[in-house]
Structure formats: C-alpha cells, structure tokens
Amino acid sequence: MSNKGFTLIEMCLVLMIISMLSIIPFDRAIISIQLKEILNELITIQYRAFTTLEKQSIDLSISDQTVTYNTKGNISQAMRIELPEQRIRLTLMLATGRIFVRRVELD
C-alpha cells in the first residue's frame, strides 16, 4: 500500500473518533438572566468607582447585602451572595472584587 492509503485510513479513524466524541452529552452551564443582571450591575458599579475616583455602593435586590467599592475599584469586605432558586453562589474576593460563580449542590 502506498502512503496515500495510510493517510486516508488515518484520516477516517480521526474523523470517526471526533464524531464519536460529539455524541457524549456534556452538562453545559446555563447562566440565567437574573445572574447576568447581577454580574452586570456589580461590574458596572466597580468600573464606575475607578473611573470617577469616587466610592460607589450597590444594594442587591436578591439579598440584604450592600457591596461597596472604594475609589480604586476594590472592596474592603469579602462576601458571598446566595441565589438559592438557581443553586448558585457568587463569591466576591477581598480587595480586587473578583467575582467567582459556583454551582451549589443540593444537600
């Protein structure tokens, strides 16, 4: 057999493996509209804080928590924001205000 025959067989094997992998179902994370709105508000307020060099705060409608950003866009208190109906927990890091989104498993 020539090299073209082996190349054709190799390509067919690779395509078969790729098509088999596409059958496997993956659990895709679906971000709800409410979560997107909360993340958008937090990022907007943080951006406004360091562009205007003024302290900015936001009262979250889903919980009785207030997130306050200083003039550099940092927060002084780390916090967790629970979204129980979506089984999601937002964690805001101390100082940088970085937001982590985690799924909460049912207990």
Side-chain angles (χ1 to χ4, degrees):
M1 237 188 208
S2 67
N3 285 340
K4 288 183 180 181
F6 284 120
T7 306
L8 184 60
I9 292 172
E10 290 171 354
M11 185 177 68
C12 288
L13 284 173
V14 169
L15 290 174
M16 184 179 72
I17 292 170
I18 290 173
S19 64
M20 296 285 281
L21 289 174
S22 68
I23 296 172
I24 299 172
F26 293 104
D27 183 26
R28 295 189 176 126
I30 298 173
I31 299 178
S32 71
I33 295 172
Q34 182 184 13
L35 178 60
K36 286 181 182 180
E37 289 175 1
I38 293 167
L39 291 173
N40 190 27
E41 288 175 6
L42 289 171
I43 293 169
T44 302
I45 294 296
Q46 183 180 25
Y47 180 73
R48 189 180 307 150
F50 67 77
T51 55
T52 62
L53 298 176
E54 294 177 0
K55 189 175 184 180
Q56 301 285 328
S57 62
I58 182 172
D59 293 323
L60 299 173
S61 59
I62 57 165
S63 64
D64 24 333
Q65 293 175 315
T66 302
V67 180
T68 304
Y69 293 97
N70 66 12
T71 59
K72 295 180 183 178
N74 298 334
I75 60 173
S76 59
Q77 181 181 1
M79 62 180 58
R80 285 190 179 148
I81 302 166
E82 301 282 339
L83 301 172
E85 65 277 353
Q86 299 172 11
R87 298 184 336 212
I88 293 176
R89 178 183 299 146
L90 299 177
T91 304
L92 284 103
M93 259 179 90
L94 182 65
T96 61
R98 185 176 295 169
I99 304 168
F100 292 100
V101 179
R102 291 190 181 164
R103 286 205 174 273
V104 179
E105 297 300 323
L106 293 175
D107 294 330

